[in-house]
Amino acid sequence: MAEKKHRVGITDTTLRDGHQSLLATRMKTEHMLPIAEKMDEIGFYSMEVWGGATFDTCMRFLNEDPWERLDKIRKALKKTKIQMLLRGQNLVGYKHYADDVVEEFVKKAAAHGMDIFRIFDAMNDVRNLAKAMEVAKKEGAHVQATICYTTSPVHNMEYFLKMAQDLVDLGADSFCIKDMAGILQPYAAFELVSALKKKFDLPVQMHTHYTSGMAAMMYMKAVEAGADVIDTAISTLALGTSQPATETMVATFADTPYDTGLNLVALSEIAEYFKEIRKKYKEFDVYTGGVDTNVLIYQIPGGMLSNFISQLQQQNALHRLPEVLAELPRVREDMGYPPLVTPTSQIVGAQAVLNVLMGRYKMVTNEVRAYMKGLYGATPGPVNEEIRKQIIGEEKPITGRPADHIEPQLEQARKEIGIYLQKEEDVLSYVLFPQVAKKFLEERYAAKCNVDFNMAQENEANMGAKVYPA
């Protein structure tokens, strides 16, 4: 009996997670566009080009408007679906925003051409996904509902299948299993994908990082279990804390029932292009080779270890890194075993550092205090109530959806940003990153005024009228 044909789709992550993982998200749009047309011809299932940290870094470090980047990429990719990573009620920021902000952001992203919204929540609290999923669905976009994979005493098959059912009830068009730390073992992936495919008639997409060295093997077993699409990056921006290499996975499945149908020669041209582009970002290139098996013990996602090193160096306490790594799982247990992904990875990690340097919970961050108040959502497991009481005293944590406690934000933001508002998207940029966006919008306004003044001077010469700068 012939094997059933099951062609595997490839989502290219080079323009988002590839450079976010390896180059501190510093790749400029001008280095993406020259190769975009060739990438558009490859035949990817989709390309991840926006979301995650790209929105912030565009304005903060590159002096680029993230909305303009999206427009330029959308224009360049005429055949390929584009997708983004959206942190649920956090959108592309690091805290929860009001429903009016979530609704407007998703609408605008869809209007700018976003085809697929991969929506996740760091707590796996589906209430934090509901609004973004609802709006994306209304806008006619594909809603890829995401399960953040992690291991703990409460994260088992029953937990993941219940969450998947909740996501289906909210209108998911497909699932993504997001293995942000690269800890999903190949045979565990086979079991999880098999269970999802048996219970639900939805496509399953796999996302991982190569950090632990298991990623390509995990993809193979997931595909054998029925996974429909896998995330990869072009080889010259792959491996390490990035994704498995596209060419490797294409070759792996070639001439099998899972053949991707992609051309290795065409991919090699793209790889050569990014090999040269990567050289332009040496100062941000954090990958030094090899596999970091610490992730298997501490579940540290890509970039978290380097953050620990940086924080400890600033305190002249790098020698205490082993203590921080040992404290991390204890803090995670105290906090009810949240998956370690933005922003919970930063919340748990920062507290682990403080516990080692200052004493356990002698000093806590504002984020930990908000977490213990329930402002990030329901914890996967029970928190340590003694620790909670130590942090927030007798205050009762909220039990409802966190966003229900946030007043609408757009109107006030529109008033605050005032004359710097050139388009409606500017309001969203400002709400998400007030300080960063304000500086960006002010500089853009000043540059425009200067251009307008220069034009006026030219007109003065022609018309004989005197003009003065505003």
Side-chain angles (χ1 to χ4, degrees), residues 97-115:
Y97 301 98
D99 282 343
D100 66 331
V101 178
V102 173
E103 184 165 353
E104 190 64 17
F105 185 93
V106 174
K107 281 183 177 179
K108 282 285 189 278
H112 281 258
M114 191 58 62
D115 298 301

Side-chain angles (χ1 to χ4, degrees), residues 149 151 179 182-191 214 217-218 221 296:
Y149 181 82
T151 59
D179 175 28
I183 60 171
L184 178 52
Q185 297 164 312
Y187 288 97
F190 186 91
E191 292 179 9
M214 295 192 298
M217 293 182 287
M218 186 275 277
K221 295 304 294 182
L296 298 172

Side-chain angles (χ1 to χ4, degrees), residues 352-372:
V353 171
L354 284 176
N355 283 3
V356 168
L357 297 180
M358 312 297 293
R360 297 201 85 227
Y361 301 105
K362 298 295 185 185
M363 180 181 293
V364 297
T365 65
N366 290 332
E367 289 76 19
V368 167
R369 191 167 282 106
Y371 181 99
M372 287 300 193

Side-chain angles (χ1 to χ4, degrees), residues 3 18 73 108 146 171 201 292 329 346 357:
E3 278 191 272
I73 293 175
K108 282 285 189 278
T146 303
D201 185 25
D292 183 7
Q346 290 89 338
L357 297 180

